[in-house]
């Protein structure tokens, strides 16, 4: 077990030393060796401005590996793309649709730019979380833009082709542009991820990045892929920057040589995913094991549950209330860590639950 150096890592430095951090979406595992090698080699080379458009070979690889077509624009991270999309496709005062609970920067990208969140809550069914398509259709007339997250953070849903087809029909009927954050796409367990763009190519901008699947969040880079007019509209709202050359080299190596590491990592994550599911069941918490991502969304009976667990268990989880209104009894747990860390965290959480 080799944990990240505390002072270098947001995850490990944000809380006092006695707190186990199972919050922000970094994995505790080291980066794949072919990626490290590619970064070292690139660092020996030219480090001036790259061509403004970025590496054309990486663009081809991205389209090929993700099964996408169209124009590609690089940007300094996927969240930058969310902000740019809100600016490009809506005006202040307008609404932007998204499924809640949702990764908090979706809400920030809308609110900070003076737009309104049109919240379309996922439905909790016996089989897990589902899109509320009727609710979506009721809100769709009031906006031009849907910010979609697939795989979904925090629930880990990997939406089915049927669900995506139904969403595509609503988007066509109501003339929506859909920005689909598919950053977690390589991290699925039982069912492969289908890009939304396969069902809605003419209206989807897909956002991708190497940050989650290859654990490279500190080398921020993202890409938008889709129809040329949409990519160009987005590009006009991106900051004046060049794609980071080390991050491009890392992403290329990840796509060309990172498969073995990714497969091994998914096996580790799968074991942890099962452990968390069994623990949640025994602890009486509401939980549907994620179909993708290394995040577990847990429903507790405790108001402000994350603050309670931080105080009583000394375990840092993401507070549910950051993911939308009405979720303060939920927490998001990041299980991308070593089994020893996870076991100790679950033991502490179990002890704390006895005091609730
Ligand atoms: C769904 C989703 N989108 C975007 C991000 C952040 O992406 P970036 O660091 O490239 O801005 C995360 C990070 O956890 C995420 O889970």
């Amino acid at each position: 077990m080799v944990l990240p150096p505390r002072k270098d890592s947001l995850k490990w430095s944000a809380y006092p030393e006695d707190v186990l951090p199972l919050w922000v979406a970094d994995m505790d595992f080291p980066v794949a060796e072919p990626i490290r090698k590619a970064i070292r080699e690139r660092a020996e080379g030219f480090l001036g401005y790259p061509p403004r458009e970025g590496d054309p070979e990486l663009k081809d690889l991205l389209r090929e590996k993700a099964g996408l077509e169209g124009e590609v624009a690089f940007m300094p991270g996927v969240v930058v793309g969310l902000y740019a999309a809100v600016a490009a496709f809506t005006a202040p005062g307008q609404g932007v649709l998204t499924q809640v609970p949702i990764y908090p920067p979706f809400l920030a990208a809308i609110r900070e730019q003076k737009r309104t969140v049109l919240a379309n809550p996922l439905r909790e069914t016996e089989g897990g979380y589902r899109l509320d398509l009727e609710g979506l259709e009721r809100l769709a007339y009031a906006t031009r833009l849907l910010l979609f997250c697939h795989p979904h953070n925090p629930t880990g849903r990997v939406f089915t082709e049927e669900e995506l087809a139904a969403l595509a029909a609503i988007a066509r009927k109501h003339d929506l542009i859909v920005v689909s954050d598919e950053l977690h796409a390589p991290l699925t367990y039982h069912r492969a991820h289908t890009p939304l763009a396969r069902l809605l190519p003419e209206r989807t901008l897909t956002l991708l990045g190497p940050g989650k699947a290859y654990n490279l969040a500190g080398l921020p880079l993202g890409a938008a892929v889709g129809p040329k007019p949409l990519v160009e509209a987005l590009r006009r709202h991106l900051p004046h920057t060049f794609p980071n050359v080390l991050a491009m080299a890392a992403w290329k190596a990840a796509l060309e040589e990172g498969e073995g590491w990714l497969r091994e990592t998914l096996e580790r994550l799968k074991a942890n995913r099962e452990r968390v599911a069994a623990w949640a069941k025994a602890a009486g918490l509401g939980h549907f094991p994620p179909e993708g991502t290394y995040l577990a969304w847990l429903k507790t009976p405790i108001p402000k549950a994350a603050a309670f667990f931080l105080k009583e268990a000394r375990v840092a989880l993401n507070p549910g209330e950051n993911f939308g209104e009405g979720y303060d009894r939920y927490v998001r747990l990041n299980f991308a860590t070593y089994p020893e860390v996870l076991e100790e965290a679950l033991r502490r959480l179990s002890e704390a639950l006895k005091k609730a």
Side-chain angles (χ1 to χ4, degrees), residues 25 76-80 82 103 106 149 151 153 181 183-184 212 217 221 295 332:
V78 167
V79 170
V80 172
L82 295 172
Y103 175 61
F106 278 58
C149 191
N153 175 356
D181 175 341
L183 180 56
H184 293 265
K212 298 299 117 175
L221 181 62
L295 307 167
R332 194 192 73 174

Side-chain angles (χ1 to χ4, degrees), residues 20-276:
L20 282 178
L22 269 57
W23 64 294
V24 67
D26 263 347
M27 300 197 238
D28 288 337
F29 315 133
V31 168
E33 187 46 39
I35 298 178
R36 289 185 184 280
K37 181 163 168 274
I39 294 170
R40 280 194 299 268
E41 284 173 2
R42 189 63 187 78
E44 295 295 327
F46 174 72
L47 294 175
Y49 290 121
R52 194 172 278 285
E53 295 299 309
D55 181 346
E57 286 176 23
L58 176 57
K59 289 185 177 183
D60 288 341
L61 261 175
L62 278 176
R63 279 185 285 248
E64 180 196 322
K65 296 278 179 181
L68 295 171
E69 288 177 2
E71 191 79 3
V72 179
F74 289 111
M75 59 195 67
V78 167
V79 170
V80 172
L82 295 172
Y83 274 77
V86 169
F89 302 120
T90 65
Q94 291 182 338
V96 180
L97 263 166
T98 196
Q99 277 80 30
V100 291
I102 191 68
Y103 175 61
F106 278 58
L107 303 173
I110 300 169
R111 290 182 180 139
E112 285 176 11
Q113 300 186 91
K114 308 274 186 284
R115 278 72 166 171
T116 313
V117 174
L118 299 177
N120 172 222
L122 292 178
R123 283 188 303 114
E124 189 179 327
T125 72
E126 276 184 14
Y129 296 98
R130 296 288 176 269
L131 290 176
D132 177 0
L133 294 162
E134 285 169 18
L136 181 65
E137 183 141 23
R138 273 197 301 279
L139 292 170
Y141 74 91
T143 183
R144 238 196 122 201
L145 179 64
L146 166 62
L147 296 183
F148 189 53
C149 191
H150 167 53
H152 182 258
N153 175 356
T155 66
R157 268 312 310 283
V158 177
F159 297 105
T160 62
E161 287 205 27
E162 256 185 344
E163 289 172 291
L164 299 175
L167 186 144
I170 293 172
R172 286 198 179 101
K173 186 167 160 193
H174 293 278
D175 198 17
L176 296 181
I177 293 166
V178 185
V179 172
S180 189
D181 175 341
E182 304 191 0
L183 180 56
H184 293 265
L187 296 169
T188 65
Y189 297 106
H190 298 297
R191 180 157 37 81
H193 170 269
T194 303
L196 174 65
R198 209 168 289 162
L199 293 124
L200 189 65
E202 77 283 14
R203 300 177 166 272
T204 304
L205 261 184
T206 308
L207 301 182
L208 302 170
K212 298 299 117 175
Y214 299 99
N215 210 22
L216 296 168
L219 271 181
L221 181 62
V225 188
K228 195 167 180 188
L230 296 185
V231 173
E232 282 182 351
L234 188 78
R235 210 183 249 139
R236 282 194 284 276
H237 291 268
L238 289 171
H240 174 91
T241 53
F242 287 80
N244 182 300
V245 293
L246 296 180
M248 283 194 291
W251 200 354
K252 205 164 163 184
L255 296 172
E256 283 177 333
E257 304 168 79
E259 202 123 309
W261 180 92
L262 182 63
R263 215 174 311 118
E264 281 167 29
T265 301
L266 277 167
E267 284 307 308
R268 291 171 112 160
L269 294 175
K270 204 164 165 181
N272 288 356
R273 168 189 180 270
E274 275 149 35
R275 177 68 189 107
V276 170

